[in-house]
Structures are given as C-alpha cells and as structure tokens.
C-alpha cells in the first residue's frame, strides 16, 4: 500500500530546504545535503518531490515568492511620497541584511549557463518583474519615458548590488544610487510634474 500525501510534512521539508539554499546557495548542492539540512532522508525527499531537480526548482520558486512577499511592495507608489523618495527607501531595505541572501542566491542563478539552469528563463523573468514595478511607479510620478528610466534604475541597482557584495562599501553604493536618482529627477521633462523639494 502506498503512502498517503502529507502536505504539512511536505511544506515543512520545503521550508527547511529553502532556508538551506538561501544560506548556502545551489553550487554543489546534493540531495543528501538537502536531506541533512531538512532532518530527513534522501529517500523521503524523493518521495515528496520526485527528483532532486524538481525539489531545487520548487525551492527556487519558494525563495522568489518569499523575496517578493518581503520586498515587492517597496517599489509601489505611495500617496504623498514623491517616487524618488520611494526608490531611495526601497534601495536601503533591498540592500539590508534580510535581503542579501536572496540577492546572493539569485545572482548565482543569473550566472549559470542557460542550459544548466534549474529555472529556465529566470534572468528575463526577474528583469521583467522589477522593471514592471519601477515603471508603474515612474509613470505615476509623471516621468515622460518611464520604461527607459526604469531600465536605468534596475540595471544600475543590479550593478551596485554586486559592487556592495564584493566590497561591502555601503556608503559609496548608497551615494551612487542617490546620485542616479538625482540625475533622473533632474532629467525628467514631463510638464507640471516636477517639484522643487523631492527627496
């Protein structure tokens, strides 16, 4: 007689494996290592998730879901808050200690060759997510070409995140991001939308 599905046990195993991957990354990941981190056996992981590849794919999607739940709302426009101020506040939180495990994991995923990636098309998917969120905010703030400005912001933020991970020079990274937002604010040309005291 086969085992009955155990959704609570499966969810607990997925949580433990996700925390392990956020801590260690996916390089050199093994089913035995995941099992040890989850306090179970490789056989039980295979029973609940099918294969190692299927488990890793679910872990990555769960990590992305958690990242979006924690930080996705930071880029939304807020009544009474100029959007440059929203972006500056979001940058500080998106580069804080709670966010860095997600950045390390997804940077690793970005750098994998497409043919060996456990999440096919992830770089384009991630770019579209962040680009769409920033574009909505800039459009609401009256930017003339919000998608172009959003592209600059997302690309610069990624580069500065990598710089921050390599050098830990937060003061310089923060100053560079602020300078970019200042430049984009100065370059905005939509009539009737600019204020003199945007943060």
């Amino acid at each position: 007689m086969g085992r009955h599905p155990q959704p609570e046990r499966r969810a607990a195993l997925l949580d433990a494996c996700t925390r392990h991957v956020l801590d260690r990354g996916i390089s050199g990941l093994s089913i035995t290592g995941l099992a040890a981190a989850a306090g179970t056996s490789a056989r039980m992981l295979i029973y609940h998730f099918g294969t190692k590849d299927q488990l890793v794919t679910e872990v990555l999607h769960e990590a992305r879901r958690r990242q979006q739940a924690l930080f996705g709302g930071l880029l939304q426009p807020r009544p009474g808050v100029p959007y440059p101020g929203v972006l500056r506040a979001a940058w500080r939180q998106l580069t804080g200690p709670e966010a860095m495990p997600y950045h390390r994991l997804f940077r690793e995923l970005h750098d994998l060759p497409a043919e060996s990636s456990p999440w096919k098309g992830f770089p384009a998917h991630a770019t579209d997510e962040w680009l769409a969120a920033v574009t909505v905010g800039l459009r609401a703030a009256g930017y003339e070409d919000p998608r172009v400005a959003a592209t600059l912001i997302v690309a610069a933020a990624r580069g500065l995140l990598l710089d921050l991970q390599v050098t830990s020079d937060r003061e310089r990274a923060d100053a560079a991001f602020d300078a970019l937002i200042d430049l984009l604010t100065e370059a905005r040309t939509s009539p009737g939308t600019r204020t003199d005291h945007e943060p």
Side-chain angles (χ1 to χ4, degrees), residues 77-176:
R78 296 184 192 125
V81 180
Y83 198 63
V86 171
L87 289 171
R88 287 188 172 94
W91 167 259
R92 265 59 176 189
Q93 293 187 59
L94 286 167
T95 57
E98 191 176 13
M100 295 313 286
Y102 296 96
H103 295 312
R104 287 193 298 268
L105 173 61
F106 293 121
R107 168 62 65 176
E108 185 180 357
L109 190 57
H110 264 282
D111 291 343
L112 288 175
E115 63 273 11
S116 62
S117 175
W119 188 342
K120 306 301 182 187
F122 173 77
H125 170 76
T127 298
D128 288 344
E129 279 188 334
W130 293 115
L131 188 60
V134 177
T135 298
V136 167
L138 292 173
R139 182 175 291 116
Y143 279 72
E144 188 173 66
D145 198 341
R147 191 167 176 82
V148 170
T151 299
L152 286 170
I153 291 167
V154 171
R158 281 183 170 164
L160 288 170
L161 273 168
L162 180 58
D163 185 299
L164 184 58
Q165 290 172 31
V166 171
T167 68
S168 299
D169 191 341
R170 173 167 295 280
E171 183 177 356
R172 183 170 56 84
D174 287 351

Side-chain angles (χ1 to χ4, degrees), residues 3 6 9 13 40-50:
R3 294 176 180 267
Q6 299 172 294
R9 179 59 177 155
L13 292 172
T40 189
S41 66
R43 181 178 64 84
M44 288 304 296
L45 287 183
I46 295 300
Y47 165 72
H48 282 287
F49 297 96

Side-chain angles (χ1 to χ4, degrees), residues 26-77:
I26 56 176
S27 177
L29 200 61
S30 69
I31 194 70
T32 54
L34 285 166
T40 189
S41 66
R43 181 178 64 84
M44 288 304 296
L45 287 183
I46 295 300
Y47 165 72
H48 282 287
F49 297 96
T51 66
K52 176 198 165 186
D53 288 345
Q54 289 173 320
L55 171 57
V56 170
T57 297
E58 286 204 45
V59 163
L60 291 172
H61 281 271
E62 174 63 15
R64 188 65 172 178
R65 185 196 66 76
R66 294 181 184 189
Q67 184 190 39
Q68 290 295 320
L70 285 169
F71 305 111
L74 295 177
L75 295 170
Q76 295 177 357

